[in-house]
Each structure stands twice: as structure tokens, then as C-alpha cells.
Amino acid sequence: METIKLIPGELTLAQLRKIAAGNVQIDIDDACRERVVIAAGTVEEVLKRGKSVYGINTGFGLMAKTRIDEDSLRDLQRNLVLSHCTGTGDPLSDAVVRLVLALKITSLAAGHSGVRPVVIDTLIALFNHGIYPLIPAKGSVGASGDLAPLAHMSLALIGEAEVRHEGTVISATEGLAKAGVDAVTLAPKEGLALLNGTQVSTALTLFGLFAIEDNFASAVLAGSVSVDAAKGSDTPFDARIHKLRRQPGQIAVAAKYRELLADSEIRRSHADCDRVQDPYSLRCQPQVMGACLDQINHAAAILEREANAVTDNPLIFPDEGDILSGGNFHAEPVAFAADILAIAASEIGAIAERRIALLIDPAMVDLPAFLVENGGLNSGFMIAQVTAAALASENKTLAHPASIDSLPTSANQEDHVSMATFAGRRLADIADNVNGIIAIEMLAACQAIEFRRPMTSSDALEKVIASVRAVAAFYDKDRYFAPDIAAVKALLKSAAIHGYVDDLLPSFA
């Protein structure tokens, strides 16, 4: 099994995608451990000097001016964890929790949080043994970090509450035993270092990014098949057009459409037809999908930086002996990235739904109504397009920016928050909706290609069509439709599909 070294400043999106997928182990390097020990020593030195430092020997939030006596410092950290466990909702998935653990370990390993190595080693042991804290999905506003969900993560370290192992919920005590480690008694600063930070918001948004990358890849393929199915022109993909626009995503996507459609027999069959222009959902794909790709890349860059960031508070600077209180826990960059991804994904689905509507309409293309023979007796793709429309419409609501909302918390001490956690969490629903839309488009486009036989599409697209036909047969008459959609949804998430386009995607680059 591959072991990924979590090195602060060097963690990549490709590594994070592997972590989300599972079947990897993690560790940190020796240089990180040295920095962690030095930072923990700085905390001890400050306590010896009797200086008041937020969260180390004071209360929290509005009670930051309350000095805590030395005998109660360990209780302070434990109480912090317990009192902040106020989350609600279903637990986060194992994939998201793996990301949360990896991100928190990376942040702590930078040596600016003041925790002892035992805290990091215990988190690593939990990850490597598949012991995943039960983290409720709801309860964070994305500042002061993801307090409630990270508190639930931290419960496992102190032997409280429950964890999940191989899909079964067990006690945290049993989980620690399976991982071969003891419960941690938190030292000064450690509870705060665990709870502060943007790791849950970032993990949720990364999980959404990876799903939206898969959406993008499958939409480019489905859109290419739709061009041939509708006997659309490849002239709008000419490199000269896109060079004049100067938008990098558009240029790259147009090149991909040219590559996928190259040497199509169907295209050659109507090269001299009298159609002047295709509908926008066909010919403007480079402009729309290219813009989406640019935004995906922009959001991905923000998230990769955030994955390598130190976002708890206060921060330890051992070289100067300083402990500084700031606001790196505010997840505004993550909220913006999530909102950008939500809009891009929704547009990917919106234009795909329009291509479905095009393919089923005999007034627009020379194909049977609703892509089925013996229409009337058979309804064909009529209601499948309705489903796609419903999903696209739902995404319009889900894509409303979360970052523009803020409610003050903690008696107005935390008077502006990011809402990044919800911004990231709703990406999974958006991506699943888009996955459904594109699955329907892929089925419709492959169905339409069958009406063009014996002519063939390009070699690349014929391989894609064969992959679809391996899980969903030609729709010769009405049958139970939902299993076909479910099968193609699963296919579109696989390497068999995104492998054609992954050279454009940030977590594959």
C-alpha cells in the first residue's frame, strides 16, 4: 500500500485525491517532528514565564480575559473539546473524514501549533487503521475555524464518543485499541490547536472539487458524442477562433473537442450540408466549458494552498519565541472557492440538459422524437429529459453563494463568518445532480448515434460508446429506465471515462 508523506507546503491535489479514495497510508517526515517538538517547547517556556496567552492559560472567545490557574490547564483543553461538540446531522463520509485527518495532521506538522508529537502520531494511527471519528455534518459557520466538527474529530483522541471502522460504529476506546494507541491527555494549547482551523471546510470543498472534475470530464465526452449524434459541425472548435479569445480554458477545451471528434465518419457524411450554425449548446461548448475549467483551476489553486496552510490560533513562532493571535481560521478563501465551484458545476449541468432537449426534439435534429422507434406506444427519453431539467433547476438554488451570508456568533466577538462549511458541503449534492444530468445526456447521445449506423463516430468516442453499451443496452422500446441512469452515473465516475480528459484537470496534472 502506498504511503503518502504529508509535508507542509508540498501536499498536492493528486495526493489529496488519493487520500479521499482510500487505500493509502500516511506519515510525516523527521524534519516535521523536530519542528513540532520545538514549538511545543515554546509553549512550555511561555507558561514557565507566567505570561497570559490566549487559549493556553485563558478562557476562549468572550472569556479570553479570564486567566486559568496552572492546575486547571489540562482540564481547560478537555473542557474545550467536550463543550464544542455540538454538531448535528448525519456523519461525514469516510472519504471526507480521511481528508479532514490528513489536513489537520499536515497543519499541525508545520510546527506552529504547539502540540506534542503524540497528538499527531495518534491522528496518523487512527487514519492508517481506518478508525474514523464520527463527525456530524452540520454546526460550523467557518470561523473561528470549524469548531464543532473538529471538536467531534478530537473526541476520538481523548477516548470519548464513537468512531467508524469498516462501516461499523464502535466506541472510541475500542477504536484506539484497534489502532494500537492510548487516549491522549491534552496538554496546554492542544485542544485549541485541534479545534481551530479550516480543515473540515477545506475537506468538504476538496471532495466537491474531485467530483466536479469528474463531472467536467464526463461532460466533455458526452458533449462530444452529442455533437456527432446531432450531426453538428466541428468548425466552431477551430483553433484560430479560440486563439483570438485568449482564454486559456477555452483554448484547451476546444483542442480536446477537436481531438475527440477527429476522423469521425459521421462528421464527414455531412461536411457539405446547408446548415449554417448549430445551437449554442453544441457550438459554444468551448466557451462555456472553458470558462468552467478556468474557474475549477482557480478554485483548485486556492484549495491546494489551504491544504498546506496553518489555520489555528494563536500561532507559535519558535525562532522568535512569540505566540501571536490572528485570524487564519477564517475560511473566506475556502468559501469563495466553494461558491465558484458551485456555479461552474451548475453551468456544466445546465448546458448538458440543453443538449438532451436538443437531441429528443425532431424539430431541431433529424432523429426520432424522444429517441425511440414506434413513438406514441413508446415514450423513450421524454421523462429522462424532465429528470435532467429537475436536477438542473435544483442546482440553481444550491449554487446561490454561501459566502455572502454571515451571522455573528460568540456574543458578537466573532461578528463576521464565512459559511464555508455549508458552501463546501453542498457541492456533493450539486455534483451528484450534474452526474445524473450527464448520465442522461450520455445515454441519449449514444442512443442517437445508433440511429446514424452503420456510420461511426471517431475512434475515441466509439470506445466511450462501447463503455456505455457495456452497462446500458440500446433503448429499443420502453423499459425500466432508472437502472440505466444509475449504471451510467457510476461509469462516469470511473477512470474509463475521465482518463480521456484528465490531462486538463488540476488533481490529475
Side-chain angles (χ1 to χ4, degrees):
M1 186 180 293
E2 179 183 359
T3 297
I4 294 175
K5 287 278 188 180
L6 304 179
I7 302 175
E10 299 181 20
L11 187 59
T12 67
L13 291 172
Q15 290 174 321
L16 289 163
R17 185 181 261 273
K18 289 181 180 179
I19 287 168
N23 297 317
V24 296
Q25 302 266 287
I26 59 172
D27 200 0
I28 60 173
D29 65 3
D30 292 339
C32 290
R33 294 184 187 280
E34 292 175 10
R35 291 194 297 270
V36 167
V37 170
I38 293 170
T42 302
V43 174
E44 293 178 7
E45 285 298 317
V46 167
L47 289 172
K48 287 178 183 178
R49 295 201 303 266
K51 184 179 179 181
S52 291
V53 180
Y54 172 73
I56 296 178
N57 53 11
T58 73
F60 307 99
L62 198 65
M63 297 178 286
K65 296 180 180 179
T66 303
R67 178 70 178 259
I68 309 300
D69 65 78
E70 187 174 348
D71 293 339
S72 300
L73 294 183
R74 289 183 182 270
D75 289 340
L76 174 69
Q77 299 301 312
R78 179 179 175 84
N79 290 348
L80 175 70
V81 173
L82 294 172
S83 67
H84 283 53
C85 288
T86 59
T88 187
D90 294 333
L92 298 177
S93 68
D94 288 352
V96 172
V97 175
R98 280 193 292 271
L99 287 168
V100 172
L101 291 171
L103 294 173
K104 178 54 76 173
I105 291 163
T106 304
S107 180
L108 297 178
H112 291 283
S113 300
V115 304
R116 297 165 297 156
V118 66
V119 174
I120 297 173
D121 290 337
T122 303
L123 288 171
I124 291 172
L126 292 176
F127 183 104
N128 287 342
H129 288 83
I131 309 297
Y132 303 127
L134 288 185
I135 304 176
K138 300 179 181 181
S140 174
V141 295
S144 301
D146 296 309
L147 294 173
L150 287 173
H152 284 276
M153 178 204 74
S154 304
L155 279 180
L157 272 73
I158 65 175
E160 296 285 348
E162 295 173 322
V163 296
R164 190 164 50 216
H165 175 63
E166 297 179 349
T168 300
V169 175
I170 58 177
S171 70
T173 302
E174 185 179 351
L176 289 168
K178 285 182 179 292
V181 292
D182 296 324
V184 175
T185 299
L186 297 175
K189 177 65 167 70
E190 290 179 342
L192 188 58
L194 288 165
L195 269 59
N196 252 182
T198 64
Q199 286 78 36
V200 174
S201 296
T202 306
L204 286 163
T205 308
L206 283 167
F207 187 73
L209 167 68
F210 302 148
I212 290 165
E213 285 182 313
D214 292 344
N215 290 160
F216 179 89
S218 57
V220 169
L221 289 173
S224 297
V225 180
S226 290
V227 169
D228 247 6
K231 287 189 174 179
S233 173
D234 58 0
T235 299
F237 308 140
D238 190 298
R240 292 169 293 180
I241 295 172
H242 305 287
K243 182 179 179 181
L244 293 178
R245 189 72 179 274
R246 300 179 183 274
Q247 298 292 349
Q250 179 178 326
I251 292 168
V253 170
K256 184 60 66 174
Y257 282 108
R258 292 196 302 276
E259 174 189 328
L260 290 168
L261 287 159
D263 298 322
S264 165
E265 182 184 0
I266 295 173
R267 173 63 187 123
R268 289 197 301 271
S269 74
H270 61 94
D272 297 323
C273 70
D274 57 1
R275 184 190 297 179
V276 177
Q277 291 183 329
D278 293 323
Y280 291 179
S281 60
L282 295 182
R283 64 180 160 113
C284 294
Q285 287 186 79
Q287 288 79 5
V288 175
M289 296 297 287
C292 291
L293 179 60
D294 285 338
Q295 296 311 309
I296 290 169
N297 283 327
H298 176 59
I302 293 171
L303 294 172
E304 187 169 69
R305 290 193 294 269
E306 194 73 9
N308 286 281
V310 182
T311 56
D312 60 287
N313 185 63
L315 296 174
I316 316 300
F317 294 89
D319 291 346
E320 299 85 3
D322 291 335
I323 300 179
L324 305 181
S325 185
N328 278 1
F329 49 70
H330 199 296
E332 195 81 351
V334 181
F336 279 10
D339 283 344
I340 289 168
L341 288 170
I343 293 167
S346 296
E347 280 296 276
I348 292 169
I351 194 170
E353 184 279 326
R354 289 292 79 206
R355 290 191 295 268
I356 300 167
L358 173 71
L359 291 173
I360 66 172
D361 186 353
M364 298 297 293
V365 292
D366 60 334
L367 291 165
F370 303 111
L371 299 173
V372 71
E373 296 171 332
N374 201 7
L377 176 62
N378 294 308
S379 295
F381 280 70
M382 180 189 296
I383 305 305
Q385 185 269 329
V386 173
T387 296
L391 296 174
S393 183
E394 183 176 305
N395 278 351
K396 294 176 186 178
T397 298
L398 289 172
H400 180 82
S403 58
I404 61 174
D405 184 34
S406 178
L407 281 174
T409 60
S410 193
N412 280 313
Q413 174 75 2
E414 298 156 6
D415 57 352
H416 182 276
V417 299
S418 72
M419 298 298 178
T421 324
F422 169 68
R425 177 164 51 84
R426 90 337 186 145
L427 293 178
D429 289 336
I430 292 174
D432 185 62
N433 287 344
V434 176
N435 181 218
I437 295 167
I438 301 165
I440 293 168
E441 182 192 1
M442 186 66 87
L443 283 164
C446 291
Q447 180 81 359
I449 289 289
E450 303 296 347
F451 290 110
R452 306 300 186 193
R453 299 300 188 203
M455 293 186 296
T456 58
S457 184
S458 67
D459 289 345
L461 295 182
E462 285 294 342
K463 290 176 183 177
V464 172
I465 294 165
S467 296
V468 173
R469 284 290 167 254
V471 300
F474 174 71
Y475 197 91
D476 59 341
K477 60 183 179 180
D478 283 348
R479 63 174 184 256
Y480 183 23
F481 208 140
D484 288 354
I485 298 172
V488 176
K489 282 183 69 176
L491 174 67
L492 296 182
K493 298 177 183 178
S494 70
I497 292 298
H498 59 58
Y500 290 94
V501 186
D502 60 16
D503 56 320
L504 298 182
L505 299 171
S507 77
F508 292 96

